[in-house]
């Protein structure tokens, strides 16, 4: 499968490496370039404020695509709140801006280091994904041969809990209570 990743920072590269390990063809799009065509699966490995610009600029190109939002929409000035309404999420806002795309929420509860290593402590890194079933099936299939566990976290409105969990994990790491190489893990 072909995968397009917006952003080539730590998260974009760690995510891309897992898709490549699973046998997918990954191409990166950075702020210096523009895309003429996008893959069936598109990962937005960008900061939350960039979602608006991407949705506006690429609305037509993203039509019919599975679009994965990895952002945690927190207030980086205070580190004390999410900047989306409590009854919504960044992913739900993005779905409203891209009504002809299938938006998923994933990777926001993972740190780049745990995506690179494939482990959190002694546990396998688990990626939680929320969204439309058809989109989740494609996403999960694309990561089948990676070192990651992928679990279905429910419909897109579950992105609210994923974003709150990602926010909590980031604040724990920023306050040095856990490392950026750690985080929450899921065991079966």
């Amino acid at each position: 499968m072909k995968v397009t990743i917006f952003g080539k920072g730590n998260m974009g590269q760690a995510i891309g490496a897992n898709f490549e390990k699973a046998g997918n063809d990954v191409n990166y799009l950075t702020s210096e370039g523009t895309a003429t065509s996008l893959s069936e699966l598109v990962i937005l490995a960008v900061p939350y404020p960039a979602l608006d610009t991407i949705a506006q600029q690429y609305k037509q190109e993203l039509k019919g695509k599975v679009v994965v939002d990895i952002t945690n929409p927190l207030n980086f000035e205070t580190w004390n709140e999410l900047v989306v309404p409590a009854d919504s999420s960044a992913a739900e806002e993005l779905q409203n801006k891209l009504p002809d795309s299938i938006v998923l929420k994933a990777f926001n509860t993972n740190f780049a280091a745990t995506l690179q290593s494939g482990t959190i402590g002694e546990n396998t890194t688990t990626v939680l994904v929320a969204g439309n079933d058809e989109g989740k099936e494609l996403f999960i299939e694309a990561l089948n041969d990676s070192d990651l566990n992928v679990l279905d976290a429910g419909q897109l409105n579950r992105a609210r809990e994923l974003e709150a969990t990602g926010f909590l994990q980031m604040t724990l790491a920023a306050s040095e209570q856990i490392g950026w190489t750690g985080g929450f893990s899921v065991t079966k």
Side-chain angles (χ1 to χ4, degrees), residues 127-183:
V127 175
L128 302 172
V129 58
N132 174 287
D133 292 336
E134 177 185 327
K136 286 187 291 193
E137 289 172 12
L138 180 76
F139 177 82
I140 292 168
E141 178 185 324
L143 286 170
N144 268 346
D145 292 325
S146 73
D147 293 335
L148 306 173
N149 286 332
V150 182
L151 293 179
D152 183 342
Q155 293 299 308
L156 191 59
N157 61 346
R158 292 288 64 85
R160 300 168 192 180
E161 289 78 20
L162 294 181
E163 290 176 5
T165 300
F167 172 45
L168 176 59
Q169 183 172 259
M170 289 175 72
T171 59
L172 290 171
S175 65
E176 298 181 353
Q177 295 181 69
I178 65 171
W180 292 97
T181 59

Side-chain angles (χ1 to χ4, degrees), residues 26-96:
V26 175
N27 66 338
Y28 294 91
L29 185 61
T30 63
S31 57
E32 291 83 41
T34 55
T36 53
S37 67
L38 299 173
S39 304
E40 183 178 9
L41 181 59
V42 177
I43 313 297
L44 302 182
V46 298
Y48 169 70
L51 295 181
D52 282 339
T53 303
I54 291 169
Q56 289 173 10
Q57 186 173 351
Y58 292 99
K59 187 173 187 173
Q60 284 304 113
E61 293 86 348
L62 292 169
K63 196 179 252 188
K65 310 291 186 188
V66 176
V67 179
V68 181
D69 166 30
I70 78 159
T71 66
N72 282 306
L74 66 124
N75 181 333
F76 283 99
E77 291 178 18
T78 66
W79 280 77
N80 198 34
E81 63 187 346
L82 294 173
V83 295
V84 294
D87 63 347
S88 189
S89 67
E92 289 169 289
E93 289 179 348
L94 184 62
Q95 182 67 79
N96 289 334

